[in-house]
Amino acid sequence: MGIRRTTLPGIGTQYDVTTRTGRNLSVVVHQDGRRFLGFYEADDPDACRMSVPLEAEEAAGLARLLDPTPLEAVRTDGIGLVTEQIPVGSRSPYAGRPLGDTRARTLTGASVVAVVRRTSAHPSPGPDFRLAIGDILVAVGTREGVDALAAIVAGS
């Protein structure tokens, strides 16, 4: 499998993937967080046969389906803790608000240990760190606590 990364000035980044069987697809990540999954023929990568727009939470869910235990994840098996990536979706009541407004640790016991925003990571964000649509919260806690935090961030 080959992956080619192309910067699209003013738009974002395109990742072209060619599988071992010769199938071609691309993922375009726009600067505003939008993502598109596209399918194309090898002889004409500009002629997209089909494009599927994905919301941030859909892209995160698809990534978890493709690789439910990513290598970069913190492994906490066997000690009662889990590490989870929680997307801040377009329907989250916390988009544009400080992380402290979630009261994550107080309400759930789970801790947000980092926020990943587009191409940069913000380790140990403080309570005044403003969340944005498309952010991914890296949370550590019990399964129940992390699930409760995901529900809070989603507005459920």
Side-chain angles (χ1 to χ4, degrees):
M1 178 183 87
I3 298 176
R4 187 179 73 229
R5 179 178 190 252
T6 306
T7 300
L8 304 172
I11 297 171
T13 305
Q14 179 171 331
Y15 299 90
D16 294 309
V17 178
T18 302
T19 67
R20 287 190 180 127
T21 61
R23 303 260 182 187
N24 300 285
L25 62 103
S26 65
V27 177
V28 177
V29 180
H30 287 253
Q31 292 171 344
D32 64 5
R34 290 179 299 139
R35 289 158 171 77
F36 290 85
L37 183 60
F39 302 90
Y40 60 93
E41 297 295 333
D43 59 346
D44 189 2
D46 292 325
C48 189
R49 288 190 297 153
M50 184 172 72
S51 177
V52 179
L54 299 170
E55 301 248 347
E57 53 271 341
E58 293 167 330
L62 179 59
R64 283 193 299 276
L65 286 174
L66 293 172
D67 186 2
T69 54
L71 293 176
E72 66 272 11
V74 177
R75 310 266 181 202
T76 54
D77 304 346
I79 60 172
L81 295 176
V82 297
T83 302
E84 192 78 37
Q85 296 180 13
I86 302 170
V88 178
S90 59
R91 295 187 178 113
S92 174
Y94 296 99
R97 292 175 53 191
L99 176 61
D101 284 3
T102 65
R103 299 182 55 217
R105 196 171 310 142
T106 301
L107 295 174
T108 69
S111 296
V112 175
V113 297
V115 176
V116 179
R117 180 171 288 159
R118 293 189 187 125
T119 59
S120 62
H122 302 273
S124 302
D128 58 336
F129 183 91
R130 287 209 174 268
L131 299 175
I133 294 172
D135 283 354
I136 303 293
L137 308 182
V138 180
V140 175
T142 64
R143 167 52 48 204
E144 295 79 19
V146 171
D147 287 347
L149 176 56
I152 288 170
V153 170
S156 312

